Amino acid sequence: MADLSKKYDVLVAGGGNAALCAAIAARRAGSSVLLCEMATKFYRGGNTRHTRNIRCAHDAATETLSGPYPEEEFFQDLLQVTQGHTDEALARHMIAESKTVLDWLPEQGVRYQPSLGGTLSLGRTNSFFLGGGRSMLNALYLTAESLGVEIAYEAEVIDLDIDNGMFLSATVQRGAEHHKVRAATFVAACGGFESNIEWLKQYWGPAADNFLIRGTPHNRGTVLKLLLDRGVQETGDPTQCHAVAIDARAPKYDGGIITRLDCVVFGIVVNKHAKRFYDEGEEIWPKRYAIWGRLVAQQPDQIAYILFDASSLTLFMPSLYPPIEAGSIRELAGKLTLDPDTLEATVNEFNAAVRPGTFDDTILDDCRTEGIKPPKSHWARRLETTPYYAYPVRPGITFTYLATKVNKQARMLMRDGKPSANMFAAGEVMAGNVLGRGYAAGMGMTIGSVFGRIAGREAAANARN
Ligand SMILES: Cc1cc2nc3c(=O)[nH]c(=O)nc-3n(C[C@H](O)[C@H](O)[C@H](O)COP(=O)(O)OP(=O)(O)OC[C@H]3O[C@@H](n4cnc5c(N)ncnc54)[C@H](O)[C@@H]3O)c2cc1C
C-alpha cells in the first residue's frame, strides 16, 4: 500500500489519463511520485475509462490513420468549433506537442487500432485505442507501477495547504483516516466539476437536476474549487461544457458511450410540447453532436424525443436501450406521453415541407425542407415508412470547462498573474484554457496527454531545483 507519510517529489491528484501521463513523465525524469486516485481500483480512471480515441497532429498516414493531419488544419478545426474562444499560443503549443504524444503513448504501452465505424468519420484525424479507454488506462497503470510510481486508491484530496502560490501539503482522506501528504510539487489532474449537481445548479438552476452525467461520479471539482479559493487564477466560462444528447433512460452517472444517440440527423427532434426546436440537419454530425446536450437542456423539463421511421433504423449506432416503436404517429405520441394532435401536426407539417433530393448521410446532401421554421437543411426525408420509432433524450454532461489558468509549462498562474512556485495542472481541470466553448472529438485526451506529459516533466524539473 502506498506510503502517505513520506515526502514525495511530485504529488499527482487524479487517476485518469492526465494524471497517469504526468506521473509517468515525472517518474521517467527521476522523481519520486505519489498518485492519489479517489476511486477504487476497479473504478480507477475517471472519464478516461469511457474514451475511444485521441486527436493528434501528424504529417503522414500511419498503420492506423488514413492520412496526414497537419498542425494548421488541427488549429483551424479548433478555431471553428470554439468560434475563436481559445488561447491561441497555448493551443498551438498543444497541437505541436500532440505530434510527439502520438508516438509517446505507445512507448508507455498504449496500442492503437484503425478507426471504428459509426457516425463520426474520424479515421484520418483520431487514433483509436485498441480495447478502448480502459485498456489504454490499464497499460498506463502497468507502466507507472513498473517504473515505481506509488499509487494510492480510495485516496481523495480534500484540502490543500497553499501559501502565496506555493503548495506545501495536501490532506488526503483514505478510508476513515486523514493524512497530510507533503511533496515538493503538486499536479492537479482530477477532472472538472461535472458530477457536482449542486455546483452545476449555480449556473443552470433547477434544470441541472435533470442532467445525466456520462462519466465518473467522482469529478466533483473538489480540487478545482480549493485551488480557485486559494488564489489560482480561473479561466473559462462556468456554463460551458461538453454536453450531448443521451438516452433519457441512462443511469445518472457513468452511462458511458453506449447511451449517446447519433440519429438526430435521420429524423426530427421534438420537445415535450411535441414541437420541433432546432435544425436537425444543420451540419455534418461530427460538427454538431456536441451542441445537442445544450439544446435539450434549454427545453422544458430538459427532455426531448428523436423521431424517425423504419427507413433509418439501421443507419446509426443504436443506444443500449431499444427505441420506442409504434405503428402510427398517434400511437407513438401515446407511448411518449406527448399530445397526439400536436405531434401529428408537427410531423405532417415537416413532411409537407420536405423537398425532393438525393439522400446521402456522408455529405451535406440536397434533401432539405422549404417554408418551415426551424428548417431541416440536409438529410430531410418524410417520416412515412412504418413502424415509427423514438428515443427520449436528456442532456448528457461529459465535462465542464471552468479551469485553472496555466502557461505553456502547464504551471498554474495565480490571480496576480505570477506563476505558481510549484503547482501544475493537466486534463479537464485546465481544459478551459484551450476550450472556451465547443469541442472537436478526441480533444479531451489531447489536452490530458499533452499537458499531463508537460506537467510531469516540469514538476520533476521543479522538484530537482
Ligand atoms: C462517455 C465519454 C466518452 C468520451 N470519449 C472521449 C474520446 O473518445 N476521446 C476524447 O478525447 N475524450 C473523450 N471523453 C472526454 C475524456 O474522457 C476526458 O476529456 C479525459 O478523460 C479527461 O482526462 P482527465 O485525466 O483530465 O480526467 P479523468 O479521466 O476524468 O480523471 C479524473 C480523475 O480524478 C479523480 N479525482 C477526482 N477528484 C479527486 C480528488 N479530490 N482526489 C483524488 N482524485 C480525484 C477521479 O477519480 C478520476 O480518476 C469522453 C468522456 C466521456 C464521459
Side-chain angles (χ1 to χ4, degrees):
M1 195 185 258
D3 183 354
L4 303 189
S5 66
K6 271 184 2 198
K7 182 172 180 190
Y8 290 87
D9 293 330
V10 182
L11 168 63
V12 179
N17 174 49
L20 268 298
C21 289
I24 290 171
R27 185 75 192 118
R28 286 200 186 281
S31 286
S32 59
V33 181
L34 172 67
L35 179 144
C36 286
E37 157 65 301
M38 73 178 278
T40 59
K41 187 171 181 186
F42 182 80
Y43 282 110
R44 70 186 182 187
N47 288 343
T48 303
R49 285 171 302 143
H50 295 296
T51 63
R52 298 187 296 178
N53 59 66
I54 180 170
R55 180 180 292 253
C56 291
H58 49 277
D59 289 330
T62 68
E63 262 180 27
T64 53
L65 288 163
S66 62
Y69 186 45
E71 284 180 48
E72 187 56 32
E73 186 184 347
F74 190 157
F75 182 67
Q76 291 307 324
D77 286 345
L78 176 65
L79 268 192
Q80 194 193 11
V81 293
T82 60
Q83 296 167 323
H85 292 262
T86 186
D87 175 334
E88 176 165 353
L90 203 62
R92 285 192 181 277
H93 184 57
M94 177 191 81
I95 291 168
E97 285 267 325
S98 77
K99 270 175 140 170
T100 52
V101 155
L102 191 60
D103 295 328
W104 185 79
L105 286 172
E107 286 162 23
Q108 318 314 320
V110 176
R111 295 289 171 265
Y112 301 130
Q113 66 179 67
S115 159
L116 299 175
T119 48
L120 289 186
S121 329
L122 299 166
R124 181 172 63 86
T125 55
N126 289 31
S127 295
F128 282 69
F129 307 123
L130 181 64
R134 203 182 257 267
S135 283
M136 188 259 185
L137 271 167
N138 287 345
L140 293 182
Y141 269 101
L142 203 62
T143 301
E145 275 162 354
S146 66
L147 290 169
V149 172
E150 297 263 344
I151 296 169
Y153 293 107
E154 299 175 60
E156 180 182 4
V157 174
I158 56 167
D159 204 359
L160 295 172
D161 189 2
I162 295 167
D163 182 25
N164 200 17
M166 177 153 184
F167 168 83
L168 301 173
S169 67
T171 306
V172 175
Q173 180 167 2
R174 189 165 60 179
E177 288 176 9
H178 286 190
H179 304 262
K180 207 172 187 60
V181 178
R182 290 163 308 130
T185 58
F186 177 68
V187 178
C190 37
F193 70 93
E194 58 273 2
S195 305
N196 189 333
I197 303 289
E198 289 310 310
W199 195 347
L200 289 173
K201 273 185 177 174
Q202 285 181 25
Y203 313 109
W204 290 92
D209 276 328
N210 288 326
F211 294 176
L212 301 174
I213 312 305
R214 302 176 67 212
T216 177
H218 296 310
N219 288 359
R220 299 180 46 77
T222 307
V223 170
L224 173 61
K225 182 157 193 333
L226 287 168
L227 290 165
L228 299 182
D229 287 350
R230 306 275 188 281
V232 174
Q233 202 180 124
E234 89 174 41
T235 188
D237 178 345
T239 68
Q240 289 294 330
C241 57
H242 181 279
V244 300
I246 66 170
D247 199 306
R249 297 161 292 182
K252 185 77 180 169
Y253 295 100
D254 256 343
I257 192 75
I258 50 175
T259 61
R260 192 177 83 196
L261 282 162
D262 291 325
C263 50
V264 166
V265 297
F266 297 113
I268 62 170
V269 185
V270 299
N271 61 18
K272 76 168 213 178
H273 300 306
K275 299 274 194 195
R276 291 176 61 242
F277 51 88
Y278 199 81
D279 182 346
E280 301 89 348
E282 190 179 44
E283 244 296 358
I284 55 163
W285 189 235
K287 292 192 178 161
R288 283 295 174 273
Y289 80 101
I291 70 166
W292 277 87
R294 292 183 84 77
L295 289 173
V296 176
Q298 286 153 4
Q299 297 310 305
D301 293 345
Q302 295 70 52
I303 184 95
Y305 304 88
I306 307 173
L307 267 55
F308 55 97
D309 71 8
S311 63
S312 301
L313 184 64
T314 56
L315 297 181
F316 58 89
M317 203 114 64
S319 152
L320 174 67
Y321 305 90
I324 293 159
E325 183 182 327
S328 70
I329 294 295
R330 292 192 78 80
E331 190 195 343
L332 194 61
K335 289 187 172 177
L336 303 175
T337 63
L338 298 178
D339 179 62
D341 291 338
T342 316
L343 189 63
E344 212 167 39
T346 297
V347 171
N348 288 342
E349 187 195 25
F350 173 78
N351 283 350
V354 171
R355 293 287 139 261
T358 310
F359 178 79
D360 184 346
D361 62 321
T362 63
I363 55 164
L364 291 171
D365 73 6
D366 60 352
C367 294
R368 60 183 180 83
T369 58
E370 217 172 76
I372 49 165
K373 271 190 185 159
K376 183 169 179 186
S377 305
H378 304 283
W379 314 295
R381 292 189 299 173
R382 277 193 271 276
L383 272 64
E384 58 189 4
T385 314
T386 54
Y388 298 105
Y389 296 98
Y391 280 111
V393 286
R394 285 208 183 273
I397 311 298
T398 319
F399 65 96
T400 49
Y401 293 174
L402 178 69
T404 57
K405 180 103 180 136
V406 297
N407 65 16
K408 283 186 189 171
Q409 284 79 46
R411 192 182 286 268
M412 292 183 216
L413 298 181
M414 306 308 293
R415 267 202 290 275
D416 60 10
K418 291 198 187 111
S420 156
N422 59 354
M423 297 193 294
F424 302 83
E428 280 180 13
V429 73
M430 47 66 66
N433 286 267
V434 179
L435 292 171
R437 63 173 64 158
Y439 185 74
M443 278 198 54
M445 294 300 276
T446 320
I447 293 170
S449 303
V450 166
F451 289 103
R453 185 174 66 154
I454 296 175
R457 231 166 33 201
E458 295 293 327
N462 202 123
R464 270 199 304 274
N465 296 327

